[in-house]
């Protein structure tokens, strides 16, 4: 049975591009979202998220009638769930636990429209066991249908986990080119899922089971987090020993089997700093290294703030005629990684907020990718690179944007967390 109509539940950074890719390959796609604004925007052929190239694909798909958005699910042949998995509220120092309530709500919302032959794919980044949990919720809601946890290849409804692995900013290309890990709850579930993704995926579709597919996604991001933690720890050790960490890493990386990542002000974004907790909360006793790596990366912004405090003290010692309220600190970069405008979950933002709250003098922020500062930074001033370079006493480089790599600042009071002005 082919897939004539596909439903994508959750029209965010992953769901909307995925829906658009199916629609641009002439599949009828119904996108479902609880956000009325998102639904209205998409139905007007526009997008509510920032992602290069996506606007043209969505506008063409809507105009040609292949893509529409609704608040309520309707019958389809395949359902892809791409809703967020945030953390449950927690006390400070508690291990964050994933909140599956959005996945549960999506599963319960599609249950009434399911029919024999349908395929359900969980794309949301999930703790191990979440796909089996979806199958259990559906089995309770629809006892007139059979599911793979009890009927294997003979089930009426097939279920798989297929994690998204695309890099924000390159989503349209990576959706097509990346390999996909397909974790069916039975071999039939995997076969049906491969058939579906083949609509637009040019990468390899590699088949495994649902639990391994869940763990594969968490492993990819945890591996990167652990490796960045190693680089961040090296940067703190080298600071203590008066060694240039950037030179050190470049030297060590000349070894044919060494490939150390780059240190920075901390790890930001919505994935690498989040997903390792899904492993740690599931198996706290066994996940010692992953846990410590998270702590190392999470503590790096505070270390940078301490370096700024020391630089201010050094500056005052070198300039005894100045008072602390006369010292201007410029911070270069606010986003969570270079050349994007996304300030959410950004270690740079965390650092600048802290400096603003501690420092009685001026704080300048330079961020070429935005036009105004968020309200949480209203006490800082958004200025150009040239003004900051001319007026600031202390320079704190937080993001290696291309605009900062092209120019240089020379001063005795530089904290360069990305090693580009060394
Ligand atoms: N970072 C460093 N040092 C490095 C590399 C990165 O400090 O050497 C920092 C960045 O500055 C940033 C954070 O890590 O703050 C994460 O940036 P990133 O570009 O490494 O990754 P994300 O979070 O934008 O996207 C990741 C990707 N995962 C991997 O590369 C394993 C992407 O492929 C996933 O699809 C995405 O997470 C996701 O959705 O899970």
């Amino acid at each position: 049975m082919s897939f004539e109509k596909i439903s994508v539940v959750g029209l965010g950074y992953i769901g909307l591009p995925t829906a658009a890719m199916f629609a641009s390959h002439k599949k009828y796609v119904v996108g479902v979202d609880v956000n009325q604004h998102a639904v209205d925007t998409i139905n007007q052929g526009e997008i509510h998220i920032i992602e290069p190239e996506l606007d043209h694909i969505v506008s063409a798909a809507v105009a040609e009638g292949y893509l529409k958005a609704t608040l309520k699910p309707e019958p389809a042949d395949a359902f892809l769930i791409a809703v967020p998995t945030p953390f449950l509220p927690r006390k400070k120092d508690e291990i964050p636990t994933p909140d599956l309530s959005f996945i549960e709500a999506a599963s319960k919302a599609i249950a009434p429209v399911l029919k024999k032959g349908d395929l359900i794919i969980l794309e949301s980044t999930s703790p191990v066991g979440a796909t089996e949990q979806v199958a259990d919720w559906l089995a309770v809601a629809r006892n007139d249908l059979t599911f793979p946890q009890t009927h294997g290849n003979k089930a009426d409804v097939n279920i798989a986990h297929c994690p998204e692995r695309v890099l924000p900013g390159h989503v349209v290309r990576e959706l097509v080119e990346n390999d996909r890990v397909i974790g069916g709850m039975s071999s039939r579930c995997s076969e049906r899922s491969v058939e579906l993704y083949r609509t637009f995926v040019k990468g390899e579709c590699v088949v495994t089971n649902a639990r391994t597919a869940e763990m594969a996604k968490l492993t990819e991001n945890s591996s990167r987090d652990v490796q960045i933690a190693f680089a961040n720890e090296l940067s703190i050790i080298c600071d203590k020993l008066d060694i240039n960490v950037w030179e050190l890493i470049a030297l060590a990386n000349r070894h044919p089997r060494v490939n150390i990542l780059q240190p920075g002000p901390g790890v930001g974004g919505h994935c690498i700093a989040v997903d390792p907790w899904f492993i740690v909360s599931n198996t706290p006793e066994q996940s010692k290294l992953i846990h410590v790596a998270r702590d190392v990366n999470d503590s790096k912004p505070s270390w940078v703030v301490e370096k700024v405090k020391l630089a201010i003290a050094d500056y005052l010692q070198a300039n005894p005629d100045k008072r602390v309220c006369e010292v201007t600190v410029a911070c270069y970069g606010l986003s969570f990684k270079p050349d994007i405008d996304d300030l959410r979950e950004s270690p740079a933002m965390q650092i600048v907020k802290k400096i603003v709250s501690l420092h009685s003098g001026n704080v300048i922020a330079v961020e070429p990718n935005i036009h105004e500062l968020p309200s949480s930074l209203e006490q800082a001033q958004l200025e150009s690179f040239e003004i900051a370079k001319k007026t600031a006493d202390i320079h704190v480089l937080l993001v290696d944007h291309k605009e900062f790599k092209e120019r240089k600042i020379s001063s005795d009071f530089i904290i360069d967390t990305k090693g580009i002005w060394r």
Side-chain angles (χ1 to χ4, degrees), residues 209-274:
N209 59 40
R211 294 174 81 83
T212 310
E214 288 160 345
M215 190 64 179
K217 165 71 194 220
L218 305 180
T219 301
E220 289 161 11
N221 283 349
S222 301
S223 147
R224 204 147 160 89
D225 198 43
V226 170
Q227 292 179 58
I228 299 169
F230 180 66
N232 276 333
E233 185 162 293
L234 274 181
S235 74
I236 295 170
I237 294 169
C238 286
D239 183 72
K240 192 99 192 148
L241 300 178
D242 199 18
I243 290 171
N244 181 324
V245 69
W246 316 99
E247 185 194 355
L248 173 83
I249 291 175
L251 290 172
N253 281 351
R254 283 173 178 265
H255 186 286
R257 286 174 295 282
V258 174
N259 188 11
I260 304 168
L261 292 182
Q262 299 299 304
V267 171
H270 326 289
C271 313
I272 291 182
V274 174

Side-chain angles (χ1 to χ4, degrees), residues 191-363:
E191 273 166 32
R192 293 284 285 153
S193 307
V194 172
E195 201 182 317
L196 178 69
Y197 283 109
R198 276 277 157 252
T199 308
F200 65 82
V201 172
K202 295 210 170 81
E204 208 176 316
C205 291
V206 187
V207 168
T208 180
N209 59 40
R211 294 174 81 83
T212 310
E214 288 160 345
M215 190 64 179
K217 165 71 194 220
L218 305 180
T219 301
E220 289 161 11
N221 283 349
S222 301
S223 147
R224 204 147 160 89
D225 198 43
V226 170
Q227 292 179 58
I228 299 169
F230 180 66
N232 276 333
E233 185 162 293
L234 274 181
S235 74
I236 295 170
I237 294 169
C238 286
D239 183 72
K240 192 99 192 148
L241 300 178
D242 199 18
I243 290 171
N244 181 324
V245 69
W246 316 99
E247 185 194 355
L248 173 83
I249 291 175
L251 290 172
N253 281 351
R254 283 173 178 265
H255 186 286
R257 286 174 295 282
V258 174
N259 188 11
I260 304 168
L261 292 182
Q262 299 299 304
V267 171
H270 326 289
C271 313
I272 291 182
V274 174
D275 299 357
W277 289 124
F278 288 24
I279 299 179
V280 178
S281 71
N282 224 351
T283 48
E285 286 300 312
Q286 292 75 20
S287 317
K288 295 189 181 69
L289 177 64
I290 300 173
H291 193 162
V292 169
R294 264 303 52 251
D295 289 342
V296 168
N297 287 335
D298 268 357
S299 63
K300 192 75 193 287
S302 311
W303 184 84
V304 176
V305 171
E306 287 307 311
K307 297 299 291 177
V308 175
K309 284 200 230 162
L310 286 175
I312 295 173
D314 287 349
Y315 179 84
L316 287 171
Q317 206 167 22
N319 297 274
D321 51 321
K322 279 223 178 182
R323 291 181 300 158
V324 66
C325 60
E326 292 165 343
V327 177
T328 297
V329 178
C331 300
Y332 299 82
L334 295 175
S335 57
F336 87 82
K337 63 177 184 176
D339 307 323
I340 59 165
D341 63 356
D342 195 344
L343 309 187
R344 296 170 302 162
E345 314 300 334
S346 164
M349 277 294 291
Q350 222 178 306
I351 291 164
V352 181
K353 273 191 219 165
K354 194 80 191 166
I355 295 174
V356 165
S357 75
L358 292 172
H359 182 53
S360 56
N362 277 347
V363 178

Side-chain angles (χ1 to χ4, degrees), residues 2 30 32 67 70 75-76 84 102 115 166 175 223 226 230 241 251 255 277 296 298 313 335 350 367 378 388 391 403:
S2 70
V30 181
V32 183
L67 175 63
T70 66
F102 292 89
K115 59 183 186 319
V166 287
L175 270 178
S223 147
V226 170
F230 180 66
L241 300 178
L251 290 172
H255 186 286
W277 289 124
V296 168
D298 268 357
S335 57
Q350 222 178 306
E367 178 44 81
E378 62 185 7
T391 56
E403 291 84 351

